[in-house]
Amino acid sequence: MAATLKRETGLVGAVLLGLGSMLGSGVFVSIGLAEDMVGWGVLPAILLAAVVAGCNALSSAQLAASHAKAGGTYEYGYVFLSPAAGFTAGTMFLLAKSASAATAALAFAAYLDALIETDLPLVPVALTLVAALTVMIQAGLRRANWLNAVIVLLV
């Protein structure tokens, strides 16, 4: 019998998890970089991104409401398209989340370096942060989500 995924996060936890991701790599990293590149044009780009993200959120919510089973992107692709499409969708989701986490970790290292006014090696600091958070998530998603909620509320 195949192992099944178990839901660990409720609505509030899922919303806070999304907010943590958006604040971490979106607000603190991407907007600053985009503003440096395009100046005032970043505002229309943010509005366009908000519309696209809203459509994505509504589509995902509809799928989740219609087919309430853990697995998200992978599960929907597997069931409605093919096992290969499900695998591809799940892999792309993991890669996107990994890129987001790496970006946020590097930004954290850069902010820490500026705060303590030293020459920290950014990549090792970022990798240490990712490793520490990975260990915390392995200890339990609910605990990790609690830490995420605290950070989001502080921000």
Side-chain angles (χ1 to χ4, degrees):
M1 181 173 169
T4 59
L5 296 174
K6 188 172 105 180
R7 286 185 186 249
E8 292 283 333
T9 305
L11 176 63
V12 173
V15 168
L16 288 173
L17 195 61
L19 284 173
S21 178
M22 286 185 283
L23 289 172
S25 59
V27 173
F28 292 127
V29 180
S30 300
I31 292 176
L33 292 173
E35 198 279 327
D36 280 347
M37 289 187 249
V38 298
W40 67 269
V42 76
L43 293 176
I46 290 171
L47 290 174
L48 177 61
V51 169
V52 171
C55 292
N56 185 19
L58 292 172
S59 296
S60 295
Q62 183 64 40
L63 279 169
S66 299
H67 308 282
K69 188 172 181 183
T73 307
Y74 162 79
E75 186 67 30
Y76 308 137
Y78 184 91
V79 170
F80 296 113
L81 300 173
S82 71
F87 177 80
T88 302
T91 302
M92 293 300 115
F93 180 80
L94 287 175
L95 289 174
K97 289 297 178 187
S98 297
S100 175
T103 302
L106 282 169
F108 174 84
Y111 284 131
L112 181 64
D113 183 47
L115 180 68
I116 61 176
E117 298 178 357
T118 185
D119 241 354
L120 286 175
L122 299 184
V123 172
V125 171
L127 288 173
T128 302
L129 176 65
V130 169
L133 291 174
T134 301
V135 167
M136 182 170 194
I137 290 170
Q138 288 293 331
L141 184 58
R142 288 184 186 183
R143 289 185 196 135
N145 220 11
W146 179 84
L147 175 64
N148 179 65
V150 170
I151 293 170
V152 166
L153 292 174
L154 287 173
V155 170

